[in-house]
Short mmCIF file of all heavy atoms in Angstrom, two decimals:
data_model
loop_
_atom_site.label_atom_id
_atom_site.label_comp_id
_atom_site.label_asym_id
_atom_site.label_seq_id
_atom_site.Cartn_x
_atom_site.Cartn_y
_atom_site.Cartn_z
N GLN A 18 -7.53 7.47 -0.11
CA GLN A 18 -8.60 7.79 0.84
C GLN A 18 -9.20 6.49 1.33
O GLN A 18 -9.69 5.69 0.53
CB GLN A 18 -9.67 8.66 0.18
CG GLN A 18 -10.84 9.01 1.08
CD GLN A 18 -10.45 9.90 2.23
OE1 GLN A 18 -9.73 10.88 2.03
NE2 GLN A 18 -10.88 9.57 3.43
N MET A 19 -9.18 6.28 2.63
CA MET A 19 -9.66 5.06 3.22
C MET A 19 -10.86 5.37 4.11
O MET A 19 -10.73 6.10 5.09
CB MET A 19 -8.56 4.38 4.03
CG MET A 19 -7.28 4.12 3.24
SD MET A 19 -6.03 3.21 4.18
CE MET A 19 -5.68 4.42 5.47
N ASN A 20 -12.00 4.82 3.76
CA ASN A 20 -13.22 5.00 4.52
C ASN A 20 -13.71 3.66 5.05
O ASN A 20 -13.29 2.60 4.59
CB ASN A 20 -14.31 5.63 3.65
CG ASN A 20 -13.94 7.00 3.12
OD1 ASN A 20 -13.27 7.78 3.79
ND2 ASN A 20 -14.39 7.31 1.91
N SER A 21 -14.60 3.73 6.01
CA SER A 21 -15.18 2.52 6.61
C SER A 21 -14.11 1.53 7.01
O SER A 21 -14.18 0.33 6.71
CB SER A 21 -16.18 1.88 5.64
OG SER A 21 -17.21 2.78 5.29
N LEU A 22 -13.12 2.01 7.69
CA LEU A 22 -11.96 1.19 8.02
C LEU A 22 -12.33 0.06 8.97
O LEU A 22 -13.18 0.21 9.85
CB LEU A 22 -10.86 2.05 8.62
CG LEU A 22 -10.08 2.88 7.60
CD1 LEU A 22 -9.32 4.00 8.28
CD2 LEU A 22 -9.13 1.97 6.82
N LYS A 23 -11.66 -1.07 8.76
CA LYS A 23 -11.87 -2.27 9.55
C LYS A 23 -10.58 -2.65 10.25
O LYS A 23 -9.49 -2.30 9.79
CB LYS A 23 -12.32 -3.42 8.65
CG LYS A 23 -13.56 -3.14 7.82
CD LYS A 23 -13.84 -4.30 6.87
CE LYS A 23 -15.06 -4.04 6.01
NZ LYS A 23 -15.31 -5.16 5.07
N PRO A 24 -10.66 -3.39 11.34
CA PRO A 24 -9.43 -3.83 12.02
C PRO A 24 -8.48 -4.58 11.09
O PRO A 24 -7.26 -4.46 11.24
CB PRO A 24 -9.95 -4.74 13.13
CG PRO A 24 -11.29 -4.18 13.46
CD PRO A 24 -11.86 -3.75 12.13
N GLU A 25 -9.01 -5.34 10.13
CA GLU A 25 -8.16 -6.07 9.22
C GLU A 25 -7.42 -5.18 8.22
O GLU A 25 -6.57 -5.67 7.47
CB GLU A 25 -8.96 -7.14 8.46
CG GLU A 25 -10.22 -6.62 7.80
CD GLU A 25 -11.46 -6.87 8.64
OE1 GLU A 25 -11.40 -6.64 9.86
OE2 GLU A 25 -12.48 -7.31 8.07
N ASP A 26 -7.73 -3.89 8.21
CA ASP A 26 -6.97 -2.95 7.40
C ASP A 26 -5.67 -2.52 8.08
O ASP A 26 -4.85 -1.82 7.47
CB ASP A 26 -7.80 -1.70 7.11
CG ASP A 26 -9.01 -1.98 6.24
OD1 ASP A 26 -8.89 -2.77 5.28
OD2 ASP A 26 -10.08 -1.41 6.52
N THR A 27 -5.50 -2.91 9.32
CA THR A 27 -4.29 -2.56 10.06
C THR A 27 -3.06 -3.15 9.38
O THR A 27 -2.98 -4.36 9.15
CB THR A 27 -4.38 -3.07 11.50
OG1 THR A 27 -5.46 -2.40 12.17
CG2 THR A 27 -3.09 -2.79 12.26
N ALA A 28 -2.11 -2.29 9.04
CA ALA A 28 -0.90 -2.71 8.34
C ALA A 28 -0.01 -1.50 8.14
O ALA A 28 -0.41 -0.36 8.40
CB ALA A 28 -1.25 -3.32 6.98
N VAL A 29 1.19 -1.76 7.66
CA VAL A 29 2.05 -0.70 7.16
C VAL A 29 1.74 -0.54 5.68
O VAL A 29 1.76 -1.51 4.93
CB VAL A 29 3.54 -1.02 7.37
CG1 VAL A 29 4.41 0.09 6.79
CG2 VAL A 29 3.84 -1.19 8.85
N TYR A 30 1.48 0.68 5.28
CA TYR A 30 1.10 0.97 3.90
C TYR A 30 2.26 1.61 3.15
O TYR A 30 2.92 2.52 3.66
CB TYR A 30 -0.11 1.90 3.87
CG TYR A 30 -1.41 1.19 4.18
CD1 TYR A 30 -1.68 0.75 5.47
CD2 TYR A 30 -2.36 0.95 3.19
CE1 TYR A 30 -2.86 0.08 5.76
CE2 TYR A 30 -3.54 0.29 3.47
CZ TYR A 30 -3.79 -0.15 4.76
OH TYR A 30 -4.96 -0.81 5.04
N TYR A 31 2.48 1.13 1.94
CA TYR A 31 3.56 1.60 1.10
C TYR A 31 3.02 2.03 -0.26
O TYR A 31 2.05 1.47 -0.75
CB TYR A 31 4.59 0.49 0.85
CG TYR A 31 5.17 -0.15 2.08
CD1 TYR A 31 4.55 -1.23 2.68
CD2 TYR A 31 6.37 0.32 2.62
CE1 TYR A 31 5.09 -1.83 3.81
CE2 TYR A 31 6.92 -0.28 3.73
CZ TYR A 31 6.27 -1.36 4.33
OH TYR A 31 6.82 -1.95 5.44
N CYS A 32 3.69 2.98 -0.88
CA CYS A 32 3.43 3.28 -2.28
C CYS A 32 4.65 2.88 -3.10
O CYS A 32 5.77 2.82 -2.58
CB CYS A 32 3.06 4.74 -2.50
SG CYS A 32 4.23 5.95 -1.87
N ALA A 33 4.43 2.60 -4.37
CA ALA A 33 5.51 2.11 -5.22
C ALA A 33 5.28 2.50 -6.67
O ALA A 33 4.14 2.71 -7.10
CB ALA A 33 5.61 0.58 -5.11
N LEU A 34 6.36 2.57 -7.42
CA LEU A 34 6.36 2.98 -8.81
C LEU A 34 6.40 1.78 -9.75
O LEU A 34 7.09 0.80 -9.49
CB LEU A 34 7.57 3.86 -9.12
CG LEU A 34 7.71 5.20 -8.41
CD1 LEU A 34 9.10 5.75 -8.64
CD2 LEU A 34 6.65 6.16 -8.91
N PHE A 35 5.68 1.90 -10.86
CA PHE A 35 5.72 0.91 -11.92
C PHE A 35 5.78 1.63 -13.26
O PHE A 35 5.08 2.62 -13.47
CB PHE A 35 4.51 -0.01 -11.86
CG PHE A 35 4.47 -0.83 -10.60
CD1 PHE A 35 3.92 -0.31 -9.45
CD2 PHE A 35 5.00 -2.10 -10.57
CE1 PHE A 35 3.89 -1.04 -8.28
CE2 PHE A 35 4.98 -2.85 -9.41
CZ PHE A 35 4.43 -2.32 -8.26
N ARG A 36 6.60 1.11 -14.16
CA ARG A 36 6.81 1.77 -15.43
C ARG A 36 5.73 1.44 -16.44
O ARG A 36 5.29 0.30 -16.55
CB ARG A 36 8.17 1.37 -16.01
CG ARG A 36 8.49 2.02 -17.35
CD ARG A 36 9.83 1.61 -17.88
NE ARG A 36 10.91 2.24 -17.12
CZ ARG A 36 11.76 1.57 -16.38
NH1 ARG A 36 11.69 0.24 -16.31
NH2 ARG A 36 12.71 2.21 -15.72
N GLY A 37 5.33 2.46 -17.19
CA GLY A 37 4.48 2.27 -18.34
C GLY A 37 3.17 1.58 -18.08
O GLY A 37 2.46 1.93 -17.14
N TYR A 38 2.87 0.59 -18.91
CA TYR A 38 1.59 -0.08 -18.89
C TYR A 38 1.63 -1.29 -17.95
O TYR A 38 1.32 -2.41 -18.34
CB TYR A 38 1.22 -0.51 -20.31
CG TYR A 38 -0.25 -0.65 -20.55
CD1 TYR A 38 -1.08 0.46 -20.58
CD2 TYR A 38 -0.81 -1.90 -20.79
CE1 TYR A 38 -2.43 0.33 -20.82
CE2 TYR A 38 -2.16 -2.04 -21.03
CZ TYR A 38 -2.97 -0.92 -21.04
OH TYR A 38 -4.31 -1.04 -21.29
N ASN A 39 2.00 -1.06 -16.73
CA ASN A 39 2.10 -2.10 -15.73
C ASN A 39 1.18 -1.76 -14.56
O ASN A 39 1.48 -0.83 -13.80
CB ASN A 39 3.54 -2.23 -15.24
CG ASN A 39 3.72 -3.34 -14.22
OD1 ASN A 39 2.76 -3.90 -13.70
ND2 ASN A 39 4.97 -3.67 -13.93
N PRO A 40 0.07 -2.48 -14.42
CA PRO A 40 -0.89 -2.17 -13.37
C PRO A 40 -0.46 -2.66 -11.99
O PRO A 40 -1.21 -3.35 -11.29
CB PRO A 40 -2.16 -2.86 -13.85
CG PRO A 40 -1.66 -4.04 -14.61
CD PRO A 40 -0.41 -3.56 -15.29
N CYS A 41 0.77 -2.32 -11.63
CA CYS A 41 1.27 -2.50 -10.26
C CYS A 41 1.41 -3.96 -9.85
O CYS A 41 1.13 -4.32 -8.70
CB CYS A 41 0.38 -1.74 -9.27
SG CYS A 41 0.09 -0.01 -9.69
N PHE A 42 1.86 -4.77 -10.78
CA PHE A 42 2.20 -6.15 -10.47
C PHE A 42 3.69 -6.36 -10.59
O PHE A 42 4.39 -5.64 -11.30
CB PHE A 42 1.47 -7.12 -11.42
CG PHE A 42 0.00 -7.22 -11.18
CD1 PHE A 42 -0.90 -6.61 -12.03
CD2 PHE A 42 -0.49 -7.92 -10.09
CE1 PHE A 42 -2.26 -6.70 -11.82
CE2 PHE A 42 -1.85 -8.02 -9.86
CZ PHE A 42 -2.74 -7.41 -10.73
N GLY A 43 4.19 -7.35 -9.89
CA GLY A 43 5.60 -7.69 -9.95
C GLY A 43 6.44 -6.77 -9.08
O GLY A 43 5.97 -6.17 -8.12
N VAL A 44 7.71 -6.67 -9.46
CA VAL A 44 8.67 -5.90 -8.69
C VAL A 44 8.61 -4.45 -9.12
O VAL A 44 8.75 -4.14 -10.30
CB VAL A 44 10.09 -6.45 -8.87
CG1 VAL A 44 11.09 -5.62 -8.07
CG2 VAL A 44 10.15 -7.91 -8.46
N PRO A 45 8.43 -3.53 -8.18
CA PRO A 45 8.36 -2.12 -8.54
C PRO A 45 9.73 -1.53 -8.84
O PRO A 45 10.77 -2.15 -8.58
CB PRO A 45 7.76 -1.47 -7.30
CG PRO A 45 8.24 -2.34 -6.17
CD PRO A 45 8.24 -3.74 -6.73
N LEU A 46 9.72 -0.34 -9.40
CA LEU A 46 10.95 0.40 -9.59
C LEU A 46 11.44 0.93 -8.26
O LEU A 46 10.66 1.22 -7.36
CB LEU A 46 10.71 1.56 -10.55
CG LEU A 46 10.21 1.20 -11.95
CD1 LEU A 46 9.87 2.47 -12.73
CD2 LEU A 46 11.24 0.38 -12.70
N GLY A 47 12.74 1.08 -8.15
CA GLY A 47 13.31 1.58 -6.91
C GLY A 47 13.19 0.56 -5.79
O GLY A 47 13.07 -0.65 -6.03
N SER A 48 13.21 1.04 -4.57
CA SER A 48 13.12 0.17 -3.41
C SER A 48 11.95 0.58 -2.53
O SER A 48 11.46 1.72 -2.61
CB SER A 48 14.42 0.21 -2.61
OG SER A 48 14.70 1.53 -2.16
N TRP A 49 11.52 -0.36 -1.70
CA TRP A 49 10.45 -0.06 -0.75
C TRP A 49 10.94 0.92 0.31
O TRP A 49 12.04 0.80 0.83
CB TRP A 49 9.96 -1.34 -0.09
CG TRP A 49 9.34 -2.31 -1.05
CD1 TRP A 49 9.92 -3.43 -1.58
CD2 TRP A 49 8.03 -2.24 -1.61
NE1 TRP A 49 9.04 -4.07 -2.43
CE2 TRP A 49 7.87 -3.36 -2.46
CE3 TRP A 49 6.96 -1.35 -1.47
CZ2 TRP A 49 6.69 -3.59 -3.17
CZ3 TRP A 49 5.79 -1.59 -2.17
CH2 TRP A 49 5.67 -2.69 -3.01
N GLY A 50 10.07 1.87 0.65
CA GLY A 50 10.40 2.84 1.67
C GLY A 50 10.00 2.37 3.05
O GLY A 50 9.81 1.18 3.30
N GLN A 51 9.86 3.32 3.96
CA GLN A 51 9.51 2.99 5.33
C GLN A 51 8.03 2.73 5.53
O GLN A 51 7.64 2.05 6.48
CB GLN A 51 9.96 4.12 6.27
CG GLN A 51 11.47 4.31 6.31
CD GLN A 51 12.17 3.08 6.84
OE1 GLN A 51 11.82 2.55 7.90
NE2 GLN A 51 13.17 2.61 6.09
N GLY A 52 7.21 3.27 4.65
CA GLY A 52 5.78 3.10 4.79
C GLY A 52 5.20 3.97 5.89
O GLY A 52 5.91 4.70 6.58
N THR A 53 3.89 3.85 6.06
CA THR A 53 3.20 4.57 7.12
C THR A 53 2.24 3.61 7.80
O THR A 53 1.52 2.86 7.15
CB THR A 53 2.49 5.82 6.58
OG1 THR A 53 1.93 6.57 7.66
CG2 THR A 53 1.40 5.47 5.58
N GLN A 54 2.24 3.62 9.11
CA GLN A 54 1.45 2.67 9.89
C GLN A 54 0.00 3.12 10.00
O GLN A 54 -0.28 4.26 10.39
CB GLN A 54 2.05 2.52 11.29
CG GLN A 54 1.25 1.62 12.22
CD GLN A 54 1.35 0.16 11.85
OE1 GLN A 54 2.45 -0.34 11.65
NE2 GLN A 54 0.21 -0.52 11.74
N VAL A 55 -0.90 2.21 9.69
CA VAL A 55 -2.33 2.42 9.88
C VAL A 55 -2.81 1.39 10.88
O VAL A 55 -2.64 0.19 10.67
CB VAL A 55 -3.10 2.29 8.56
CG1 VAL A 55 -4.61 2.33 8.82
CG2 VAL A 55 -2.70 3.39 7.59
N THR A 56 -3.41 1.87 11.95
CA THR A 56 -3.94 0.98 12.97
C THR A 56 -5.41 1.28 13.18
O THR A 56 -5.78 2.42 13.49
CB THR A 56 -3.19 1.14 14.30
OG1 THR A 56 -1.80 0.89 14.10
CG2 THR A 56 -3.73 0.18 15.34
N VAL A 57 -6.24 0.27 12.99
CA VAL A 57 -7.68 0.41 13.16
C VAL A 57 -8.08 -0.39 14.39
O VAL A 57 -8.03 -1.62 14.39
CB VAL A 57 -8.44 -0.08 11.92
CG1 VAL A 57 -9.94 0.18 12.09
CG2 VAL A 57 -7.92 0.60 10.66
N SER A 58 -8.47 0.30 15.42
CA SER A 58 -8.78 -0.34 16.68
C SER A 58 -9.72 0.53 17.50
O SER A 58 -9.67 1.76 17.43
CB SER A 58 -7.50 -0.60 17.47
OG SER A 58 -7.78 -1.15 18.75
N SER A 59 -10.57 -0.12 18.27
CA SER A 59 -11.45 0.59 19.17
C SER A 59 -10.79 0.85 20.52
O SER A 59 -11.32 1.57 21.35
CB SER A 59 -12.75 -0.19 19.38
OG SER A 59 -12.50 -1.47 19.92
#
C-alpha cells in the first residue's frame, strides 16, 4: 500500500522471494519478473 506518493517514487516495482531468515537482502530466489510500472506525476 503506497500513500502520499511522490514523483521520486516513479519506478518499476518488483516483488521477490527470499528463503528463511533473510530480510530481503542479496540475490532472491528465482528470477526477476516483469514488474509493474508506477508513475507519479501531475
Side-chain angles (χ1 to χ4, degrees):
Q18 179 66 46
M19 305 184 295
N20 299 325
S21 302
L22 283 163
K23 304 175 181 179
E25 51 262 44
D26 295 319
T27 296
V29 178
Y30 283 71
Y31 305 87
C32 55
L34 297 168
F35 296 85
R36 180 180 287 115
Y38 206 69
N39 182 349
C41 308
F42 289 105
V44 179
L46 301 174
S48 60
W49 297 101
Q51 296 298 308
T53 185
Q54 176 71 50
V55 173
T56 302
V57 184
S58 176
S59 60

